[in-house]
Amino acid sequence: MRLRGWMLALAGFGALTAVATAQDLKSPSSDQYVPRLGDIMGAAQTRHQKLWLAGKTQNWELAAYELRQLKASLVEAAVFYSGIPVGNVTTLEPSLQSMSDALTAKDGRKFAKAFGDLTEGCNTCHRSMKRNFVVMKVPSDQAPFANQQFAPPSKP
């Protein structure tokens, strides 16, 4: 999906917030089911790792599917949790578009570059939300959670 299409989709999801009663980070609504932010981000982390594994094995169709699912998780987080600035999600669009382009081209080198940029975009969002202790990385292997750094981040 191109930038314009992504923005229209995001605006559409934003319109749903009037119906869905968007939540802030600390108080989800009790009158409807809203997945916990940690659960949405856990799903995003799983999609992030699966995207990497699919791309590394050049399963471009699976990688494209995982990218769509990852985008949906990010949009869901912004819709349900008003404490997450929509700008944090939309600033990922260039990285998401580069990833989509790499998958369409079936280009492993472009894929690796786009994946690194996307991962850094995740970390930039985490830092902006004062969650700099959540550090994503390019997976090192197929082990679960191989796409997260668990050691404390070094102090600047």
Side-chain angles (χ1 to χ4, degrees), residues 14-128:
L16 289 176
T17 59
V19 175
T21 312
Q23 309 301 309
D24 77 24
L25 289 173
K26 294 186 167 85
S27 59
S29 172
S30 61
D31 58 338
Q32 74 172 37
Y33 172 73
V34 175
R36 294 177 56 115
L37 182 58
D39 294 336
I40 295 170
M41 289 292 109
Q45 179 178 2
T46 299
R47 299 299 186 189
H48 179 262
Q49 182 156 348
K50 290 173 74 175
L51 172 61
W52 173 255
L53 294 171
K56 288 301 286 182
T57 60
Q58 298 184 352
N59 185 342
W60 304 118
E61 188 175 356
L62 177 58
Y65 171 79
E66 294 300 341
L67 179 62
R68 288 189 304 272
Q69 296 302 307
L70 177 60
K71 284 180 181 181
S73 291
L74 297 173
V75 169
E76 187 176 59
V79 167
F80 287 129
Y81 291 88
S82 61
I84 298 174
V86 171
N88 282 12
V89 176
T90 58
T91 58
L92 287 172
E93 178 52 29
S95 299
L96 294 166
Q97 187 60 54
S98 293
M99 177 61 69
S100 182
D101 293 345
L103 297 177
T104 299
K106 300 179 180 176
D107 186 322
R109 232 186 325 213
K110 286 182 181 177
F111 169 82
K113 166 88 170 80
F115 194 88
D117 292 346
L118 176 60
T119 302
E120 181 50 35
C122 294
N123 291 326
T124 298
C125 181
H126 295 163
R127 287 188 297 270
S128 78

Side-chain angles (χ1 to χ4, degrees), residues 128-146:
S128 78
M129 297 297 300
K130 307 274 191 268
R131 304 286 192 278
N132 57 317
F133 52 88
V134 179
V135 180
M136 302 307 299
K137 66 178 189 166
V138 173
S140 54
D141 58 39
Q142 291 189 21
F145 307 113

